[in-house]
Amino acid sequence: MAEEDEIKRRTNNPKSYQVRKECIKRKSMELATLCDIKVCTVITGPNGELQTWPDDFDACKQVLDLYSQNLKPEKKYKESSTPEPEPEPEPERGEEQGEKDLLTLVESTLAAVNRRICILENKGKRKRIE
């Protein structure tokens, strides 16, 4: 019981959260720089605050959109030879609306990732018939 209290005390420590948050942001920046890839980190604080790296919500949305597109299964046949129209640019929104949009995108991406994990786990469980 004392061990649980110690763990709870350490994880609820605001200073510990700040140190970990800065470390995650720094590692994200290093990963993006050293590997020359697009990286986005979304951090939800203990009081529900949403923080991202990079700080620009549009940059995070681009990375999450790119990731979501890569999760979609490839089309096995070409539906139409007509090109798809370019999406309309979104109107300017307030920062609060941007946070809600980002959170919605993160939740949908998380659901897609979880579905993909289930699919991959089930593939490993199939038995080969010889």
Side-chain angles (χ1 to χ4, degrees):
M1 192 68 158
E3 189 175 315
E4 281 183 20
D5 292 336
E6 177 64 21
I7 291 171
K8 192 178 261 189
R9 185 187 63 76
R10 280 188 282 153
T11 56
N12 288 336
N13 184 346
K15 185 174 181 174
S16 176
Y17 166 73
Q18 280 298 116
V19 169
R20 290 177 184 192
K21 179 183 74 169
E22 293 305 318
C23 180
I24 290 171
K25 287 183 175 184
R26 185 178 69 250
K27 294 295 182 183
S28 298
M29 181 185 66
E30 290 173 0
L31 183 64
T33 304
L34 295 173
C35 298
D36 193 27
I37 59 173
K38 294 184 184 249
V39 176
C40 169
T41 304
V42 179
I43 303 168
T44 305
N47 59 359
E49 68 188 70
L50 181 71
Q51 295 187 8
T52 62
W53 184 91
D55 294 328
D56 179 23
F57 287 121
D58 291 331
C60 288
K61 188 174 183 319
Q62 288 175 354
V63 173
L64 292 170
D65 284 339
L66 180 65
Y67 184 75
S68 294
Q69 289 170 359
N70 287 332
L71 284 179
K72 293 178 184 173
E74 294 180 24
K75 294 181 182 177
K76 295 187 179 181
Y77 60 91
K78 196 171 186 179
E79 291 180 12
S80 168
S81 60
T82 58
E84 293 185 25
E86 290 290 321
E88 297 274 331
E90 293 185 21
E92 292 293 321
R93 298 179 181 171
E95 189 172 314
E96 185 175 316
Q97 182 64 36
E99 287 181 7
K100 288 179 183 178
D101 290 346
L102 181 62
L103 188 56
T104 302
L105 182 61
V106 168
E107 288 172 347
S108 66
T109 303
L110 178 60
V113 168
N114 286 332
R115 283 192 304 273
R116 183 72 175 144
I117 288 171
C118 288
I119 290 169
L120 293 173
E121 285 176 343
N122 288 334
K123 279 185 179 179
K125 293 179 182 177
R126 290 185 187 163
K127 293 183 181 179
R128 295 182 75 185
I129 300 174
E130 295 181 17

